[in-house]
Amino acid sequence: MKAVLRGALGFAAVSVAAFSVWAFFGKRLTGAIGGPGMYAAVAAAFLALSGFVFRPARSYAAFLAGFAAYAVVWSAIWLSFHSRPAEWAASAAGTAAFAIPACLILGRPRSIPFAFAALFAGHSAGYFLGSIPYYAWKTQPAMLAWGAIYGLGFGAAIGFVLRPSPPAA
């Protein structure tokens, strides 16, 4: 439970910081380096700042590999199709891409289906609930609210997946 709470609250803070890149610099970055470059900048903020949340080193390594895979897959789908169905497909494919390397690094290959289910549920809840204020107002505060809500949902799931394994019986 501690890992889930730490993941939710810590990743929510990281998400607000990462979404700030989009909220405050998104138009400028997109103009300078394109949409994929702007998404890469946001992903880099997530990767750099999450080390403060997902410790020890083995958990952070699992996070880095999982989130990097997720970001590439999610962005490729979203940038290719830009639609609500694409967001759902990106949620499924991206969280599967997260689960596989994360579970392998943690030495839990048999946990991949459970990790995927948790990540998909947490990510989808945070992402789609978080999108509500953004699509209602399309303001910078709404963008940051999306980041906070996304971070709470996805972070709780990530914390669950990266939690220390229970001692052997």
Side-chain angles (χ1 to χ4, degrees), residues 156-167:
I158 293 169
F160 174 77
V161 170
L162 300 182
R163 75 195 182 287
S165 41

Side-chain angles (χ1 to χ4, degrees), residues 65-66 69-70 73 89-103 112-113 115-117 119-120 123 154:
Y70 154 82
V73 170
S91 185
T95 54
F98 188 114
I100 295 167
C103 288
I112 291 171
F116 164 69
L119 290 165
F120 179 71
H123 176 274
F154 199 21

Side-chain angles (χ1 to χ4, degrees), residues 78-89:
W78 169 246
L79 291 169
S80 297
F81 300 105
H82 280 90
S83 67
R84 201 54 139 177
E87 288 176 305
W88 280 103

Side-chain angles (χ1 to χ4, degrees), residues 7-8 11 23 31-32 52 60 69 72 74 86 90 97 99 104-105 108 131 138 142-144 154 158 161 168:
F11 198 66
F52 295 106
Y60 185 48
V72 168
W74 189 96
L104 293 176
I105 289 169
R108 303 176 194 159
S131 74
K138 294 195 178 186
M143 296 163 113
L144 300 179
F154 199 21
I158 293 169
V161 170

Side-chain angles (χ1 to χ4, degrees), residues 38-50:
M38 193 275 297
Y39 280 97
V42 172
F46 272 109
L47 292 167
L49 297 172
S50 292

